[in-house]
Amino acid sequence: MSRSIRSWLLTAAAASLSFGSASFAADEIIKPVDQRFASKEASEVPNFQQHIVPLFSRLGCNGRACHGSFQGQGGFRLSLFGYDFKLDHEGLTKGDKDKDKEPRVLIEEPEESLALLKATLETPHRGGKRMDADSWQYNIFRNWIKAGAKSVEEGSPKFVKLEVTPSEIQFGKDGEQMQIKAVAVWSDGTREDVTPLCRFNSNDDLIANIDSNGMVKSGQTGDTHIVVNYDAGVVPVPVIRPVSDKTGQRYPKVETATKVDELVVEKLRKLGIVPSEVCDDHEFLRRASLDITGTLPSPQEVVDFTSNPDSDKRAKKIDELLERPGYVAWWTTKLCDFTGNNASFLNNVGGNLGGRDSATQQWYDWIYKRVADNEPYDKLTEGIVVATSRKPGESYTEYSERMCQIYGPEKKGSYAEAGGLTYYWGRQNFRQPEERVIGFAYTFLGLRIQCAQCHKHPFDQWTQDDFNQFKGFFQGVSFGINPKDKAEQQALLKKLEIEKKNGNDLRKELAARVAKGAVVPVDELYTVKPQAAANNRNKEKDKDNSKQNSRLPAGPKAKLLGGEVVSLMEHDDVRTPLMQWLRDPSNRFFARAFVNRVWATYFNVGIVNPADDMSLANAPSNSALLDHLSQGFIAHNFDMKWLHREIANSQTYQRSWKPNETNKHDQKNFSHAIPRRLPAEIALDALKQATSSDTEIARLQNDLKGRAIAIAGTNGRGGNNNGSLSFALTVFGRSTRETNCDCDRSAEASLLQTVYMQNDDEIIKLLTDKNGWVNSLVSPKVVPNERDDKRGEVAKAKAARRSLEAQILANERTLKKARQAEKVDEIKAIEARIAEFKAKIAKIEASVEAKPEEAPQPAEVVHSEPEDLVKAAYLRSLSRLPSKSEMETSKKFLTQSEDRLTGARDLLWALINTKEFIINH
């Protein structure tokens, strides 16, 4: 049937839909191909996109280990996971005359086609037998060849969606089965049962196994998803098998104080999981303080809060915590993780005119100001996505003057006030459009889209076309000197008499001149408005780009992920429509990505986990919960504090970590708190707080000086820190911000962490600090001062050694990558640096051995009551009072100690080395 007749029929009131050589009513679901092509007498002509390519996927022909590899197999290549219909069709029908490779299909003699002979093993095939000669698969392929082996024709129906039933599967016992049915919907209204052409996977085979025909079989108790793939459709189907008999009417009454609790318990009820009780006040206060502010509650705060009878005290405490500087610092650090603030990639960014690591500090300060102001998340994002350097009407020279005032000796103004976060676009690992697509999708969409750079994404809807079409929004955005302003730049250099310098020499000279108050040319972020294509464009380049732009209108354009095509010539800044799309309420990525990451910070796992992998195949453990929070976040104008309150005020967040019989194995449905190791920065701050005097603890609650959560850079420098914490931050897994992955931050425990906690010089220094808690117990007249100078020298030497050890660790990671890439020159340079660092350490160790630290002398303790000492030690470290047995054991230990001072120090050392201290529970 011709397209013109079909078009006429589609507009008629009593339309019927043409499919191959058969007709079907508009609301009819076409039978599956395994029925229609069961007989070799079948005359229907299959469609290349709708039947042949999906069949390749189903048979594994276009997989990575077969013809889908980049080299192909046996001279025949298919696009990985399909969807490059042109490449696939040419590979089948044209062969390769240069390599004496025949076409894989013979239209004149279909049965003699090499593709059929190999798939049936009539001819040797390294991939083995893929079908029988009398099978429906064979008949589909043969009929397509027989009818001319046509490709996807212009104007062919577009894939719309994949409908899968049932939408959820609930099993009750071992061995139960359920058949999946998948219906493809096309733009012409056609609906076809494509179950035999789908690929099926289980996210957990132990809970639910699925065969190649879509039959699901129950296994162990728990919940998972079955993922159905067809064309661009990826549909996850939840599968649940209760872990207990407490379901339906047998499920106990559970209080649900908030909508979050309702949605969580609704899922738990299906699973037969009863949530743990709400935690006590000590547990809540410690957990909320660490999660929201990255700070331990002070001993007095614990006492006051737990003795407060106010029924609304938890909600009030959450509000109070959200107003503390610790909240701003910690969540600024998290946003720096997501946006990629790494000094290593900012070496040549103009901001370093302000000194070493000034760009990474200014990046931190820029975000800090907006978190402190509780600027809406979409507005904060806008300041990054459409950032510009200059103010309206500002010349290049005026811009340079303004920035040099910020970087110069008088520090007039600040980068945080100057405009957008331009450094996000200036990073050395964010210069190429491909890098920007990957980094942007990670930061703002929670997507790992890099697979689609080369082929169809195996776990999502994205194709190489989608990736290439999205690149348009990241072209024409540059960081450096705009060619239009070259004359002004040269004039500034000439005025300084340094116009002949370049490279590192020029950068060093510029920094030195700025430090003296001079005005120097400053790099900027600028955009170039897209222009209409010139007549003399490179034809070969046009040819290369024709495939990726085949679906788009002529002229500069780009396509939003899963969205519309945008004509870039209509916008002065190509990033403007991108930002409009992000904050559009219909965008299903932007709000969900941030909500999911915040949730993951509070619960150890995201609603989608990993939190930065929001692919369709990686389905949410509770879709309704993610929808509720995302929609609420948008409705409350992207208010970040609203989101924190909504989560922290729920009973779900406030549940005890102690499990019951039904939820002891639950790790993803939020039926109890999951104990988790403190993040690196918070762990180091907690150690400092636990060992500090009461006066210092009070200061640390509201002053960020010396706090690890306020360090801007990944190298341990920034804020008020000189890098002495670099080694410890590395040991505890601080985010390296090197790749587009949340896995740059590690929460894994290690032996090195244990060694650090028990024996590192920094821990000993904290415990013996003359201004610390232990020494605050000593009568002033006997505080040992005579050894301070010598101990200070030793401490400085050991700090220098730790800094060198951290640099060795970082270089060893880089060395490993260089060896994998076989970069010989780089390997030699890194090995030389490591050897140099080790030599310096050896020199320091010799120096330390030459200046042994004198043993501390015992002193009289002012607070002589052992019970008071024990309570104080527990409150400052574990944020609770000791149990009766703990009190008795600790008192006995103190009385048996050499002296009370030594006993108090050893008791505190023992407490900070417990799991309870280093774990947020």
Side-chain angles (χ1 to χ4, degrees), residues 877-910:
S877 58
L878 306 185
S879 306
R880 66 173 177 84
L881 292 170
S883 67
K884 186 176 179 179
S885 62
E886 288 170 334
M887 174 61 79
E888 293 304 315
T889 302
S890 300
K891 285 167 61 178
K892 184 178 180 181
F893 173 78
L894 286 176
T895 58
Q896 294 176 348
S897 297
E898 180 182 346
D899 59 75
R900 295 284 172 81
L901 185 66
T902 303
R905 183 181 294 119
D906 290 347
L907 173 60
L908 186 55
W909 177 89

Side-chain angles (χ1 to χ4, degrees), residues 306-453:
T306 54
S307 61
N308 186 351
D310 187 351
S311 61
D312 199 32
K313 64 182 179 182
R314 294 193 179 191
K316 291 177 180 177
K317 178 57 69 175
I318 290 167
D319 288 341
E320 179 189 332
L321 293 172
L322 288 170
E323 297 305 316
R324 291 185 182 176
Y327 158 74
V328 183
W330 175 232
W331 286 92
T332 295
T333 294
K334 296 291 290 182
L335 285 165
C336 283
D337 286 354
F338 304 148
T339 52
N341 180 10
N342 185 329
S344 300
F345 301 126
L346 296 170
N347 287 332
N348 297 329
V349 170
N352 279 330
L353 290 171
R356 184 184 188 189
D357 297 328
S358 62
T360 194
Q361 183 64 52
Q362 289 161 1
W363 185 318
Y364 181 94
D365 293 343
W366 189 94
I367 294 179
Y368 184 95
K369 180 184 184 302
R370 283 144 186 84
V371 177
D373 294 342
N374 197 35
E375 187 169 271
Y377 178 65
D378 68 320
K379 188 70 176 174
L380 183 154
T381 300
E382 183 179 28
I384 301 174
V385 174
V386 293
T388 53
S389 293
R390 294 196 216 175
K391 293 180 178 181
E394 191 173 45
S395 70
Y396 175 72
T397 301
E398 291 168 339
Y399 159 72
S400 294
E401 290 172 349
R402 177 167 58 86
M403 297 308 292
C404 287
Q405 287 182 337
I406 293 173
Y407 302 143
E410 296 184 13
K411 306 294 182 188
K412 291 182 179 179
S414 70
Y415 178 81
E417 304 272 3
L421 184 56
T422 54
Y423 298 155
Y424 176 80
W425 295 88
R427 293 173 289 161
Q428 293 167 351
N429 63 338
F430 199 73
R431 295 294 178 92
Q432 299 304 315
E434 293 81 6
E435 294 172 334
R436 290 173 171 177
V437 169
I438 294 169
F440 181 92
Y442 161 76
T443 297
F444 299 113
L445 308 176
L447 294 174
R448 299 178 180 178
I449 199 173
Q450 46 266 52
C451 287
Q453 185 177 0

Side-chain angles (χ1 to χ4, degrees), residues 4 67-68 83 121 161 201 244 257 268 296 412 452 488 536 568 654 674 710 761 766 869:
S4 59
H67 300 290
Y83 217 76
L121 273 185
K161 62 180 178 179
N201 299 97
S244 75
L268 297 179
L296 283 173
K412 291 182 179 179
E488 287 189 70
N536 62 346
L568 299 180
Q654 297 178 22
I674 304 295
D761 297 328
L766 289 171
L869 290 178

Side-chain angles (χ1 to χ4, degrees), residues 49 139 223 227 389 429 518 548 576 683 737 763 798 824 828 856:
Q49 177 180 354
N139 295 335
D223 64 310
V227 182
S389 293
N429 63 338
Q548 70 185 53
T576 300
R737 303 173 189 164
I763 300 298
K798 292 180 177 179
V824 179
K828 290 180 180 178

Side-chain angles (χ1 to χ4, degrees), residues 466 468-475 549 552-553 555-561 563-569 574 577-578:
D466 292 322
N468 288 328
Q469 292 165 11
F470 194 50
K471 279 195 305 188
F473 295 109
F474 304 95
Q475 296 170 331
N549 294 326
L552 303 179
K557 65 280 178 180
K559 185 173 182 289
L560 298 163
L561 290 177
E564 61 185 15
V565 175
V566 176
S567 175
L568 299 180
M569 289 185 64
V574 295
L578 187 63

Side-chain angles (χ1 to χ4, degrees), residues 20 99 120 161 174 241 258 276 282 292 301 319 376 426 437 570 648 684-685 688 690 721 762 805 851 907:
K99 296 182 180 180
T120 56
K161 62 180 178 179
D174 282 338
R241 184 182 169 195
T258 68
S276 296
H282 294 91
I292 297 174
E301 187 179 6
D319 288 341
V437 169
E570 298 175 6
L684 298 192
D685 279 348
K688 182 170 184 175
N721 189 271
E762 190 66 28
E805 288 171 340
K851 298 176 182 177
L907 173 60

